[in-house]
């Protein structure tokens, strides 16, 4: 093989610097949400802005564009599955997306998001949508200007495609619409049947001291694959995961003494995110290939550990003795079938982040429907609260007694994150498809989990998802791992099957579709 | 007044970015030494290197040089004490120092320091100086090349001046030599008289659980001025302080259950460093003026709180009831005079960081003498252990039984920090001069401290030192605050006076010099 082009060496150097700056950004964010004294917020905003300007300069640097141009023939002759070709592809895409947005517009979007977030908090506290409406209208206006930056190229068929492309590239608005149409049709009857038969009450009744919860969480996390040499666990108001590199992964949780489920399931959820980052291919360190390929795939990893693993019968078998060991009392009185039923109970509720696994995607369907209508101009901001309440009744059968339990419950729109919500559902769908594929490859998976051996699962995910990083689009990655396109049925079948198995449904509800 | 030159606006923008990057660097370092999982070290080194390259590019940017040139006439006509003039002066100095060192040499120095640090640790663990010697020789060689970068300008009279200038600008080798000559002459007899009469044993005998120590430390820190909205306290192996901005100050300590003095005095010491950063003038935020003017001044602040405050009779009066409250037992049995004597006892010992306040500067005198001989070529690296042992006997009257208690005890030389040690003593000297000046301005200071009211002291330091930031050199700053140049006598008088007051000396030892 001939020596590599000098441009490729230089491209790699630049990718390395961009990755280093990304890792630094991860630390700024992690620290802000875990360690930073509250009075440091303004200085942190300045530090973020400085870092983002430098990153933006690096990505839009015309010299990078020239390198990419000079590498065109190399790329054309390279194996498209090679690391080099993927690196060039990723950097070309990143530069294309960054140069199309004028610096002033990017700054205006960032500042409007910060202001709208303040307005959202004030509106929520005052239960007054009018305080949020002008800020949201401004965000929407800027979102339209952002979309317009990409319209000229004709690469997107629908304005919302531009937004989707930021979070989950390779999916179109049409596809997402179809997914949510099916979800609405199928989930509404399933939820109402299961909720009717479901238990009422908390997942884990009892009061559990923080230290005991921490003991349980430590043992569970170590079992699934948390490695103290490379990971940390800290409390955070809104649990999240962030890595500075594949060797430095930080996860967070929340200790609520009256709600053990918060810690247990947020630990598993964030562990899933963290493991994706930790199991990137070390050979891809300091390249774009050591990044997640999309938020949908990232969410598929967190949901897989939280739900497919954490709410399975075999995990209940494994975890119940640990719960008894660390928390005693209430867990002495229950057996696996009861635990399994408790963690899968279906309860209609108004708040997305408190929703159970089955109803969760109806909350996302609602948000997708409304944000699409906002972007298509079919819905005015002033009419949003009413539209929210109407959809809540239509999808969940619930009246919305307050704005805080309604349209003002989520931060996303205020910060400009329109097009983000669907990634939650995409992650759920993918996780079920991945589970099906890995269950075929690992027929003993349930027994392994019951025995507390999570290594086969970790290795399957490493080979099929994690170590691929951002080499393929999520669509290609899913196809390579499962042989399929994104589908709704495996997820619905998994849900119904589990509800039946747990005794939360007495008979099948779904009619198999052609 | 006329509008400010556009170049000044642009200069300020650039200073702001440099300050933001400095704050980010502070976070990387703080996290590395408090929070980072050990496996993240390699990635952190890459992130540091990326940040340092960017900072170096910003400071050496020819466009910054052009701005500074364009502002020459503005500077000449401006009040030299104005913020603008100081900002221009600082940036000119920073650029001058950075551009004189070729990028490759700077990189070589950084990498040699990292390697020598490894070699130092290996040599220390193996008690084998030969393992460290080649690395130290390489560091010395690079240090000479570094010095040579500044020789041509003729701005430094002595090669060691170049090194001093990095840590404590405005002091010369000649002045520092004179200081240490006096210190050697005067401290040796004082130490031997006080050590002879001194108590033997630990400062605070007893075993104190970490939680109780933390309770005491929290109450002490809040009393002196630790503000939880802007500060954090965390454990670290080697306690240090770092700020990301004046609004985000992080201090660290070490909880040793058999050595309460470690936590109490490291908390006060690091609080002193932290307060310097916290009380910078908010108007100077994101400029070079919100920086310390030298390490000597920084150390004067930590030593002032640790020793002048923390080891005073009035502080013992204030602290004893708190020690009884949090730690009970052993503190019920002692009274203020005993506590005061304990915390000031003089004990000859081999390890610098374990030395008491009185003997401490003999350890620094030894290091200064040897590093100056190394730089002047009068001492070869291979002869260093013997020279160390000889000086230890001459200054402390002690035999050195092992390399770990001798020449291999400190990390500084291995990391290339030659010229750094004198700042510890400079800080001690300054702290005594500052105390004298502030005692004149605040005649009730001892009573305030005994009553737990530290506000007058904080305010005096804020006005006279902290809020001046890097507006003046340390020499000018000291003169403005005390009316004096750096002097040894106030420190020696303070030491002798306290030892007499505490009953650790029965009669004066020093003969007043003309």
């Amino acid at each position: 093989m001939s020596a590599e082009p000098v441009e490729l060496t230089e491209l790699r150097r630049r990718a390395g610097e961009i990755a280093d700056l990304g890792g630094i950004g991860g630390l700024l964010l992690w620290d802000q949400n875990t360690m930073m004294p509250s009075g440091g917020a303004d200085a942190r905003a300045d530090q973020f802005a400085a870092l983002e300007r430098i990153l933006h300069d690096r990505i839009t640097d015309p010299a990078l564009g020239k390198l990419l141009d000079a590498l065109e023939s190399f790329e054309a002759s390279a194996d498209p599955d090679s690391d080099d070709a993927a690196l060039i592809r990723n950097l070309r895409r990143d530069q294309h997306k960054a140069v199309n947005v004028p610096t002033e517009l990017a700054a205006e979007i960032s500042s409007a998001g910060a202001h709208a977030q303040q307005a959202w908090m004030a509106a929520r506290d005052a239960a007054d949508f009018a305080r949020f409406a002008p800020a949201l209208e401004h965000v929407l206006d800027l979102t339209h200007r952002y979309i317009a930056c990409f319209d000229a190229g004709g690469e997107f068929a629908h304005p919302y495609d531009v937004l989707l492309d930021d979070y989950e590239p390779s999916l179109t608005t049409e596809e997402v619409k179809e997914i949510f149409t099916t979800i609405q049709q199928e989930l509404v009857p399933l939820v109402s049947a299961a909720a009717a038969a479901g238990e009422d009450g908390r997942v884990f009744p009892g009061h559990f001291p923080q230290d005991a919860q921490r003991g349980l969480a430590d043992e569970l996390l170590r079992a699934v694959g948390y490695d103290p040499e490379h990971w940390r666990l800290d409390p955070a108001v809104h649990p999240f995961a962030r890595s500075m590199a594949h060797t430095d992964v930080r996860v967070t949780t929340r200790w609520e003494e009256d709600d053990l489920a918060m810690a247990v399931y947020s630990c598993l959820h964030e562990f899933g995110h963290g493991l994706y980052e930790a199991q990137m291919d070390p050979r891809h360190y300091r390249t774009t290939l050591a990044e997640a390929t999309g938020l949908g795939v990232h969410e598929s990893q967190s949901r897989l550990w939280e739900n497919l693993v954490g709410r399975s019968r075999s995990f209940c078998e494994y975890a119940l003795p640990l719960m008894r060991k660390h928390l005693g009392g209430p867990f002495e009185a229950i057996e696996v079938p009861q635990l399994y039923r408790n963690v899968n109970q279906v309860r209609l509720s108004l708040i997305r982040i408190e929703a159970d696994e089955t109803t969760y995607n109806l909350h996302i369907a609602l948000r997708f429907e409304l944000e699409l209508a906002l972007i298509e101009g079919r819905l005015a901001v002033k009419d949003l609260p009413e539209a929210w309440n109407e959809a809540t009744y239509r999808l969940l059968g619930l009246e919305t007694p307050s704005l805080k339990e309604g349209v003002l419950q989520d931060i996303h729109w205020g910060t400009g994150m329109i097009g983000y919500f669907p990634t939650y559902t995409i992650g759920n769908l993918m996780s079920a498809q991945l589970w099906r594929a890995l269950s075929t490859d690992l027929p003993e998976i349930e027994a392994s989990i019951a025995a507390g051996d999570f290594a086969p699962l970790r290795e399957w995910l490493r080979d099929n998802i994690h170590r691929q990083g951002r080499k393929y689009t999520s669509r290609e990655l899913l196809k390579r791992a499962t042989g399929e396109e994104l589908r709704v049925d495996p997820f619905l079948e998994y849900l119904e099957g589990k509800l039946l198995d747990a005794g939360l449904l007495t008979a099948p509800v779904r009619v198999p579709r052609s």
Side-chain angles (χ1 to χ4, degrees), chain A:
Chain A
M1 192 176 153
S2 57
E4 78 172 30
V6 289
E7 290 89 355
L8 187 57
T9 313
E10 170 62 8
L11 196 75
R12 234 182 253 124
R13 189 194 65 74
R14 287 171 177 260
E17 186 183 32
I18 290 170
D20 291 335
L21 295 174
I24 293 172
L27 180 65
L28 291 176
L29 189 130
W30 172 83
D31 180 77
Q32 181 174 33
N33 290 292
T34 53
M35 299 293 161
M36 188 186 78
S38 60
D42 288 347
R44 182 55 46 89
D46 288 333
Q47 290 152 7
F48 262 123
L51 189 73
E52 271 165 24
R53 270 193 305 271
I54 292 168
L55 254 173
H56 186 260
D57 284 351
R58 292 298 192 262
I59 292 167
T60 58
D61 189 346
L64 176 63
K66 278 187 194 148
L67 282 175
L68 291 167
D69 289 347
L71 285 163
E72 259 177 25
S73 67
F74 171 84
E75 189 190 1
S77 65
D79 174 0
D81 286 349
S82 69
D83 290 356
D84 292 340
L87 178 67
I88 294 168
R89 224 164 33 230
N90 287 344
L91 285 169
R92 183 171 287 126
R93 177 184 147 83
D94 293 345
Q95 180 163 73
H96 170 69
K97 293 218 63 158
V99 295
N100 268 10
V101 183
T103 312
E104 314 83 67
L105 178 59
E108 216 179 326
I109 288 172
S110 164
S111 135
H115 285 117
Q117 198 172 331
Q118 298 293 325
W120 168 75
M121 282 190 274
R124 200 186 46 167
D125 292 347
D128 180 5
F129 186 75
R131 293 202 189 184
F132 179 46
L136 181 56
E137 267 162 12
H138 186 46
V139 163
L140 260 177
D141 176 53
L142 291 170
T143 303
H144 281 295
R145 285 172 56 197
Y146 178 80
I147 290 168
C149 298
F150 296 91
D151 264 2
E155 60 186 303
F156 296 106
H158 188 286
Y160 190 85
D161 283 355
V162 178
L163 308 179
L164 270 181
D165 190 65
D166 282 344
Y167 304 112
E168 189 42 79
S170 83
L171 276 179
T172 67
T173 307
E174 271 315 302
E175 290 169 313
V176 175
K177 267 168 79 171
E178 210 178 298
I179 285 167
F180 281 110
T181 303
T182 310
I183 282 177
Q184 291 202 20
Q185 284 168 355
E186 298 237 22
L187 265 191
V188 169
L190 187 66
V191 162
S192 75
E199 336 248 318
D200 201 31
R202 281 179 300 143
V203 172
F204 303 117
H207 180 90
F208 304 103
Q210 188 176 312
D211 282 354
Q213 291 198 28
R214 171 95 210 194
L216 173 66
D218 279 341
E219 190 162 353
L220 285 178
L221 283 171
R222 298 244 186 157
V224 290
Y226 172 105
D227 169 6
E229 201 181 321
H230 292 288
W231 296 59
R232 285 189 59 94
L233 172 67
D234 295 281
V237 178
H238 303 288
F240 67 99
R242 204 81 185 180
S243 76
M244 279 89 253
H246 66 284
T247 51
D248 185 353
V249 178
R250 319 268 174 116
V251 290
T252 62
T253 188
R254 199 161 95 201
W255 310 111
E256 296 219 351
E257 302 207 325
D258 292 314
D259 181 8
L260 173 65
M262 170 60 79
V264 169
Y265 289 106
S266 71
C267 278
L268 287 170
H269 183 100
E270 304 310 338
F271 168 77
H273 281 306
L275 191 67
Y276 188 4
E277 312 259 324
Q279 295 203 134
M280 292 284 166
D281 192 334
R283 291 181 308 120
H284 292 162
Y285 173 58
R286 300 184 80 233
T287 74
T288 59
L289 276 67
E291 296 170 5
T293 192
L295 290 183
V297 180
H298 228 312
E299 196 69 10
S300 78
Q301 298 308 296
S302 56
R303 301 285 170 153
L304 187 145
W305 285 93
E306 178 189 357
N307 293 329
L308 285 284
V309 175
R311 291 189 158 88
S312 68
R313 182 187 289 272
S314 46
F315 190 81
C316 290
E317 286 172 26
Y318 161 68
L320 184 56
L322 296 185
M323 290 171 164
R324 287 178 178 153
K325 172 178 157 194
H326 290 280
L327 307 166
F331 292 98
E332 303 295 347
I334 67 166
E335 297 300 329
V336 170
Q338 179 68 39
L339 181 62
Y340 181 40
R341 214 160 40 239
N342 280 6
V343 302
N344 286 292
Q345 62 186 267
V346 180
R347 281 189 299 154
L348 289 161
S349 67
L350 288 160
I351 308 289
R352 175 182 63 86
I353 58 167
E354 293 171 5
D356 60 81
E357 184 186 3
T358 308
T359 59
Y360 187 87
N361 295 289
L362 290 178
H363 291 266
I364 303 302
L366 179 154
R367 285 153 180 76
F368 171 70
E369 179 185 315
L370 296 181
E371 70 183 19
L372 187 64
L374 285 170
I375 292 296
E376 290 182 345
R378 292 181 284 109
L379 177 62
V381 166
K382 72 170 170 44
D383 299 326
L384 191 54
E386 205 187 313
W388 182 286
N389 298 351
E390 180 278 320
T392 300
Y393 188 78
R394 176 162 38 87
L395 295 177
L396 297 164
L398 298 173
E399 298 288 347
T400 307
S402 76
L403 289 163
K404 204 171 170 174
E405 291 159 287
V407 70
L408 290 180
Q409 70 180 264
D410 284 318
I411 197 176
H412 301 57
W413 291 337
T415 61
M417 298 205 301
I418 301 173
Y420 186 107
F421 279 122
T423 65
Y424 294 125
T425 291
I426 293 165
N428 280 320
L429 303 186
M430 281 185 184
S431 68
Q433 287 179 272
L434 292 173
W435 195 261
R436 220 179 243 200
L438 71 87
S439 299
T440 309
D441 290 351
L442 307 170
E444 308 294 322
I445 183 70
E446 298 291 344
S448 296
I449 291 174
D453 177 11
F454 299 90
L457 175 54
R458 277 199 310 274
E459 290 313 310
W460 192 93
L461 291 171
R462 183 206 296 274
D463 290 342
N464 289 278
I465 305 293
H466 303 164
R467 64 193 301 277
Q468 310 298 335
R470 203 180 142 199
K471 195 157 181 175
Y472 308 108
T473 64
S474 45
R475 185 188 288 268
E476 283 172 82
L477 185 68
L478 185 69
K479 210 159 184 177
R480 281 171 179 266
T482 68
E484 296 181 333
E485 293 286 340
L486 186 66
R487 292 172 59 214
V488 181
D489 279 2
F491 177 67
L492 294 170
E493 282 160 27
Y494 146 75
L495 272 187
E496 191 184 50
K498 191 163 62 163
L499 293 172
L500 285 164
D501 184 43
L504 290 157
L505 265 186
T506 46
V509 175
R510 299 184 63 233
V511 179
R513 289 179 301 129
S514 58

